[in-house]
Amino acid sequence: MNISFWGAARQVTGSMHLLTFDSGYKLLIDCGLHYERGDAIELNDSFPFDPSSIDLVLLTHAHIDHSGNIPTLIKRGYSGQVLCTEPTAALVENLLRDSVNVQMAESKARGKGVKKKSNQPSVLYGQANVNTAIDRLVCLPFNEKFKINDYLNITFYPAGHILGAASILVEAIEDNTIKRIGFTGDLGKSNSKIVVNPQPMPNLDYLICESTYGNRLHSCTIAAEDELYRYVKKNCIDSPGRLVIPAFSVGRTQAILFTLNQLYVEGKLDGVKVFTDSPLGIASTQVHEKYQMYMNDESIEFAETHNGLFDFPNLLVIQSESDQKSLTYHTGPSIIVSSAGMVEGGRIQQHVRNNLQNPLCTILIAGYCAEGTLGHRLLLGQSSVKIKNKEHAVYARIASTDVFSAHPDRDGLYQYISASDSNQLKQIFLVHGESEGIDAFQKHLVTKGISKVMVPSKGDSFLI
Ligand SMILES: [Zn+2]
């Protein structure tokens, strides 16, 4: 068989890997949106293969860089199903609908400026295309082998990362030999909030492994409750200040709300009001509540004891104009959790702008911020930042923590690979990492005695 890397190859978006069997059967693993550089429509509107020739799509998890181009694939001729876990199906519906809204807004903004090319659509897909994509989703449980045909089985393994995320083991019979190929998808780190630990796939011949933080070590080694409480205490208990936390809508927002709930139960949030403001975050929290059984033991036990994970008396979920007013006129110590994580767009931008000149405020960046984003510019320590073409002086404190990171660091990745019987592996392909980091991770693995490691570029194809 042949494996081709069509995305997340020396980059971190656009995950899309194609297995073509000797029989001609084609299996596509993930179909994500590219959103790194260049024109998003041009990057995503066509495929390097005929979508109608694909027999089956497997989806590792709901994040848009893994799922976001499925509607385009269907629009361009794919007529089959998309296999994923139940929580992934629920989350992906919210994320795809949000993706349409984002594309519409961008198209509107573009319409006022640069003229688009004549044959280019203004958006990749609309809500009707999303409806069709949702109809194609078929849910599978974890840890159960599923027979696709006489020559092909697949099994989903828990990957951690976000709710429902799966690593996928593909077992194929070719020339009377079984080949076992494992796709990690995105992995979570051990002992994360909410999600389970990633479960390595056994007895692999080939491993396609994510490497997002292949050249980084997480700096925060204390528990999330302790880390978050450091900031709560400094800003909201010892002084009547405000803590503003930008958080991704799926996973990060829920991990932070759960941690704040734990602090509340421990009596550490007395007199501190918590506001959460993110429509997609609210929808995603509902999915987390529905699929609580997929979470780790700590979360399930807490939910059973305290009748839920994400709601506590000090919390106000902003859903109406009057909720918004409650936040505007609140003068006591408070915490605001809002999306999006990189402070680009979403409600968070307004909260950051409103609090930049407040010296009693700390903006706590709790996730990765790509270069050029407002989150990244704040982390650079600039004395003023431009938001919507207007300069704003920065008097608020800017801090960051990696305690809620959704990916393993270099050592976590190495431990995962070691647990995958690395000596038996014929080849490891590293994906989902920027060139500099992924090359460094390859070298690190070699120093650890794991030498059969390749870093494919986009379009590379290998016989396996
Ligand atoms: Zn992901």
Side-chain angles (χ1 to χ4, degrees):
M1 76 183 78
N2 183 289
I3 184 165
S4 309
F5 298 91
W6 291 115
R10 292 187 173 276
Q11 58 182 160
V12 290
T13 70
S15 275
M16 190 162 66
H17 312 310
L18 180 63
L19 276 178
T20 306
F21 298 95
D22 292 351
S23 62
Y25 192 91
K26 284 191 168 76
L27 193 59
L28 190 68
I29 293 91
D30 287 341
C31 186
L33 280 180
H34 285 273
Y35 49 86
E36 297 204 337
R37 279 171 287 273
D39 182 317
I41 305 274
E42 206 169 286
L43 278 170
N44 294 290
D45 193 41
S46 62
F47 292 86
F49 46 77
D50 175 6
S52 69
S53 71
I54 303 294
D55 292 283
L56 187 64
V57 174
L58 309 179
L59 176 60
T60 59
H61 66 289
H63 276 151
I64 215 75
D65 60 320
H66 292 255
S67 69
N69 220 15
I70 291 171
T72 318
L73 189 81
I74 294 171
K75 204 172 119 182
R76 297 275 172 243
Y78 175 60
S79 57
Q81 297 175 326
V82 178
L83 307 189
C84 62
T85 66
E86 259 190 315
T88 295
L91 290 171
V92 94
E93 174 162 7
N94 295 337
L95 283 162
L96 289 179
R97 297 207 185 286
D98 182 66
S99 169
V100 172
N101 295 336
V102 171
Q103 290 179 46
M104 296 284 207
E106 284 174 354
S107 162
K108 210 171 153 193
R110 246 194 333 264
K112 290 177 189 161
V114 189
K115 214 177 159 219
K116 69 180 173 63
K117 289 170 192 164
S118 58
N119 59 347
Q120 211 181 55
S122 57
V123 288
L124 283 165
Y125 48 81
Q127 297 295 2
N129 302 107
V130 172
N131 293 343
T132 311
I134 300 306
D135 286 344
R136 301 284 183 86
L137 300 177
V138 175
C139 300
L140 296 185
F142 281 117
N143 291 310
E144 276 184 37
K145 193 183 278 194
F146 185 77
K147 183 177 174 180
I148 305 290
N149 59 39
D150 286 345
Y151 307 99
L152 181 60
N153 295 312
I154 60 154
T155 312
F156 284 3
Y157 286 84
H161 187 56
I162 60 167
L163 192 71
S167 297
I168 303 176
L169 170 64
V170 175
E171 291 172 285
I173 302 173
E174 279 188 340
D175 303 326
N176 295 319
T177 311
I178 299 179
K179 290 176 186 169
R180 295 165 63 87
I181 307 116
F183 294 84
T184 63
D186 286 1
L187 296 167
K189 62 175 191 162
S190 296
N191 306 316
S192 291
K193 280 279 160 195
I194 294 177
V195 293
V196 296
N197 287 344
Q199 185 181 330
M201 297 166 277
N203 306 318
L204 294 177
D205 296 305
Y206 297 93
L207 175 65
I208 292 80
C209 185
E210 73 112 317
S211 320
T212 315
Y213 291 148
N215 65 336
R216 265 180 50 175
L217 291 174
H218 292 320
S219 58
C220 183
T221 50
I222 59 173
E225 300 95 281
D226 298 336
E227 171 75 345
L228 194 52
Y229 185 61
R230 280 199 314 126
Y231 291 99
V232 172
K233 187 170 183 305
K234 186 172 174 190
N235 291 279
C236 307
I237 308 284
D238 296 345
S239 80
R242 180 167 271 189
L243 189 59
V244 176
I245 312 177
F248 297 109
S249 313
V250 180
R252 195 66 44 91
T253 292
Q254 292 74 34
I256 291 169
L257 291 182
F258 172 34
T259 310
L260 289 170
N261 194 358
Q262 286 177 308
L263 294 179
Y264 169 80
V265 166
E266 289 165 21
K268 293 175 172 171
L269 280 189
D270 286 353
V272 182
K273 190 85 186 157
V274 179
F275 299 91
T276 181
D277 185 17
S278 157
L280 184 58
I282 292 169
S284 160
T285 300
Q286 285 163 356
V287 173
H288 280 71
E289 279 163 348
K290 185 172 176 189
Y291 294 103
Q292 217 158 270
M293 61 287 215
Y294 286 86
M295 295 180 187
N296 61 22
D297 291 345
E298 181 200 20
S299 310
I300 292 171
E301 276 167 32
F302 186 96
E304 279 169 4
T305 315
H306 300 281
N307 201 22
L309 283 173
F310 309 116
D311 198 14
F312 47 98
N314 293 25
L315 175 70
L316 178 64
V317 180
I318 294 181
Q319 287 172 300
S320 64
E321 240 173 75
S322 74
D323 296 337
Q324 193 69 50
K325 275 187 187 151
S326 304
L327 167 58
T328 309
Y329 296 115
H330 184 82
T331 50
S334 63
I335 301 168
I336 301 171
V337 183
S338 179
S339 303
M342 299 193 200
V343 206
E344 279 299 297
R347 304 267 177 97
I348 185 64
Q349 207 165 71
Q350 179 195 331
H351 296 301
V352 165
R353 194 185 57 210
N354 292 347
N355 287 286
L356 272 176
Q357 266 129 50
N358 177 358
L360 289 181
C361 171
T362 293
I363 297 165
L364 178 62
I365 307 280
Y368 172 76
C369 289
E371 221 172 287
T373 58
L374 179 55
H376 188 258
R377 285 182 283 138
L378 289 170
L379 284 172
L380 289 175
Q382 297 176 351
S383 57
S384 76
V385 288
K386 201 180 248 184
I387 304 174
K388 292 194 174 142
N389 292 322
K390 209 176 155 201
E391 282 293 337
H392 298 264
V394 181
Y395 300 120
R397 289 181 290 253
I398 312 295
S400 70
T401 179
D402 57 18
V403 79
F404 293 105
S405 176
H407 291 271
D409 63 6
R410 186 194 72 187
D411 291 353
L413 284 167
Y414 167 67
Q415 277 163 18
Y416 177 91
I417 292 172
S418 302
S420 309
D421 300 317
S422 54
N423 292 331
Q424 283 184 32
L425 282 164
K426 293 187 176 77
Q427 191 72 58
I428 299 172
F429 296 99
L430 298 181
V431 296
H432 208 279
E434 299 289 356
S435 269
E436 193 188 333
I438 209 165
D439 287 336
F441 185 49
Q442 182 193 25
K443 283 190 187 123
H444 180 73
L445 289 177
V446 172
T447 65
K448 295 281 186 182
I450 302 173
S451 56
K452 293 171 190 162
V453 188
M454 291 187 80
V455 184
S457 295
K458 190 174 175 183
D460 281 355
S461 205
F462 302 87
L463 272 177
I464 60 173

